[in-house]
Amino acid sequence: MNRRVLVINGPNLNRLGTREPDIYGTTTYSELVELVIQGGNDLGLSVEVRQTASESEMITWLHEASDSQTPVILNPAAFTHYSYAIRDACALLTAPLIEVHISNPSSREEFRHHSVISGVATGVIAGFGTNSYLLALRAISTL
Ligand code: DQA
């Protein structure tokens, strides 16, 4: 049976394709979902992809992943920079956590330079466009 991986996306990522395409590219959210599921299949991983703008919902999903020891690939979007509640939920995880970003937040506005999540992540992949997710899957497959 394929190993399960949960990919969680935060606020505004469902707008990919039309959201600031010069920064995030033109791949739509549904294309990203297909790409990530296919990329997971190629590595023998069974990938589920979710998106929410709700901090509360994201925390519930992280608790589920913690209980089921499921590895998580998380793009916390803007929550990255200020949500201690998401960080605390990430700290409860019992399997690897890869923080991903489509853009490279460190090369953007000052407020994006700090991630409150990175300190509890297994690793961080940022700046490779939608490929960041595929690189994260590859990282999980080696752990
Ligand atoms: C992002 C970077 C964040 O700073 C931003 O708030 C996002 C997307 C990225 O994938 O590059 O929503 O996480």
Side-chain angles (χ1 to χ4, degrees), residues 2-9 13 16 27-50 71-75 100 102 128-138 140:
N2 281 353
R3 190 169 168 217
R4 193 168 162 253
V5 177
L6 182 59
V7 177
I8 302 177
N9 290 294
L13 290 167
L16 284 178
T27 302
T28 64
Y29 179 71
S30 50
E31 286 167 346
L32 171 72
V33 172
E34 285 307 308
L35 205 77
V36 172
I37 290 172
Q38 186 55 55
N41 276 344
D42 295 345
L43 293 166
L45 302 170
S46 170
V47 182
E48 188 183 337
V49 187
R50 301 182 188 172
V72 173
I73 293 172
L74 176 65
N75 185 343
V100 300
I102 295 167
F128 298 99
T130 48
N131 262 330
S132 293
Y133 292 83
L134 300 179
L135 293 167
L137 286 169
R138 192 161 285 279
I140 296 247

Side-chain angles (χ1 to χ4, degrees), residues 11 13 19 24 75-78 80-81 100-103 105 108 112:
L13 290 167
R19 176 190 183 195
Y24 298 111
N75 185 343
T80 306
H81 312 298
V100 300
H101 300 282
I102 295 167
S103 68
R108 299 178 60 198
R112 296 186 202 275

